[in-house]
Amino acid sequence: MLSLFKRYRRFLFVSVLLLYPLIAFLVSGRRGREPNFIDRAVIAVTSPLQSGLNYVIDGVVGTVHHYVDLRDVQAENDALRLENMQLRAAVQLLGETRAENERLKQLLVYAEPLPGPKIPARVVGVNPVAKLLSVRISSGERQGVLQGMSVVTPDGIVGQVIRTTGGYADVALVTDSQSRVAVRVQRSRARGTAAGMGNGPLKLENMLRTEDVENGDLIITSGTDGVYPPGLVVGRVANLMKKEHGMFQTADILPAVDTTKLEEVLVVASPYLDSGPMVEGTR
């Protein structure tokens, strides 16, 4: 019995101290009285313990509340982050749509004075074979696109339709090595040929050495090849070489259209479509 008391003496002592106020309250009932010496001693001894228990309980409760608040804040942050991403995507899509609408408006304004049917299309594919520089567009026979029609943008000529299907068409670019375009110098009206070189600038050919050509001159279609309507922009003269002997002078033509960045194009009727496309090596 004594060994049991020694083992649990601290627990029994604390229990007595904690139970004493309750016993005193029950004995005294509701009658108020001044605390005696024992009451004061018990209060003095138990106050630190009560303060410690209150501190621990308050800490645990605060930690739980803080954890719950953090969970709520994390969930709210995740929701806000997702909403922000969705809004940014919508803004980006809206900006892209606005830019596309502006390009289409320019295309339609540019198409108004051109004769014959005008069919808008999007570039939906690029030929991966370097031997044939071509793109695929989203309009074909169902939309009225025929082989031999010319393809343009408000900046200038793109190429010529070489193959059509129900809903698509393939366009040989002016930069293709088999492409030949009848052109003239807008300023002096001198005639020549713009030849595709596969990549980079076109080559000005068949321009007589006596003709008036200067670097920076604007080159336009002459309309004499039966492919492109007259007056469409081809590019500008660069690296002009006037030889002292021979019949012709040569130069580069910097294309007005960057064919590597095509998005929307316009298919227009060629002047003499019934005669067939006049591109070397018809495919």
Side-chain angles (χ1 to χ4, degrees):
M1 184 69 179
L2 183 60
S3 60
L4 184 64
F5 176 77
K6 289 182 179 181
R7 179 180 301 178
Y8 296 102
R9 64 179 182 276
R10 293 183 180 178
F11 175 75
L12 294 174
F13 178 71
V14 172
S15 300
V16 170
L17 292 177
L18 293 176
L19 289 174
Y20 175 78
L22 177 61
I23 296 172
F25 174 77
L26 294 175
V27 172
S28 60
R30 295 187 179 181
R31 293 174 300 172
R33 66 178 180 84
E34 290 295 329
N36 56 30
F37 174 77
I38 297 177
D39 293 334
R40 291 190 179 93
V42 170
I43 292 173
V45 172
T46 58
S47 291
L49 181 60
Q50 291 176 343
S51 298
L53 291 175
N54 290 334
Y55 179 80
V56 172
I57 293 172
D58 291 341
V60 172
V61 173
T63 301
V64 172
H65 288 169
H66 183 65
Y67 174 75
V68 173
D69 292 341
L70 285 179
R71 287 287 300 273
D72 293 340
V73 170
Q74 182 64 38
E76 184 178 357
N77 286 342
D78 292 340
L80 290 175
R81 190 177 295 108
L82 177 60
E83 182 179 0
N84 183 48
M85 292 175 61
Q86 293 173 339
L87 289 175
R88 290 174 60 185
V91 169
Q92 184 176 357
L93 181 61
L94 181 62
E96 186 66 19
T97 302
R98 185 182 295 111
E100 180 181 355
N101 288 338
E102 289 298 325
R103 292 194 301 268
L104 290 174
K105 286 180 182 178
Q106 294 176 6
L107 198 64
L108 294 176
V109 170
Y110 172 78
E112 287 181 2
L114 295 177
K118 298 169 280 288
I119 306 165
R122 289 184 176 86
V123 174
V124 295
V126 177
N127 189 350
V129 181
K131 186 178 179 180
L132 173 61
L133 298 180
S134 66
V135 295
R136 177 159 292 182
I137 60 176
S138 62
S139 295
E141 292 177 347
R142 285 198 297 267
Q143 291 76 28
V145 176
L146 301 176
Q147 182 180 1
M149 283 185 167
S150 52
V151 181
V152 301
T153 73
D155 294 326
I157 65 172
V158 172
Q160 179 187 4
V161 176
I162 56 173
R163 188 181 301 109
T164 62
T165 61
Y168 300 96
D170 293 330
V171 180
L173 302 176
V174 293
T175 52
D176 182 64
S177 59
Q178 298 188 57
S179 172
R180 298 292 184 273
V181 181
V183 298
R184 69 168 73 244
V185 179
Q186 187 185 54
R187 178 181 56 83
S188 66
R189 316 309 291 176
R191 290 182 178 177
T193 302
M197 302 300 293
N199 278 305
L202 310 177
K203 185 65 68 175
L204 180 62
E205 297 178 344
N206 303 326
M207 180 67 66
L208 293 175
R209 186 168 59 88
T210 56
E211 295 285 9
D212 181 11
V213 185
E214 297 179 359
N215 283 323
D217 276 342
L218 185 66
I219 301 297
I220 60 175
T221 56
S222 65
T224 60
D225 55 8
V227 177
Y228 298 97
L232 302 180
V233 176
V234 179
R236 289 192 178 274
V237 175
N239 304 320
L240 179 66
M241 294 181 61
K242 290 181 177 287
K243 298 179 180 179
E244 295 181 0
H245 305 284
M247 293 181 59
F248 303 104
Q249 54 187 320
T250 60
D252 292 335
I253 301 176
L254 303 178
V257 176
D258 186 351
T259 56
T260 65
K261 298 179 180 178
L262 291 171
E263 294 186 71
E264 295 88 18
V265 297
L266 193 69
V267 184
V268 298
S270 301
Y272 312 106
L273 187 57
D274 292 341
S275 63
M278 297 179 64
V279 177
E280 289 191 7
T282 300
R283 302 164 179 82

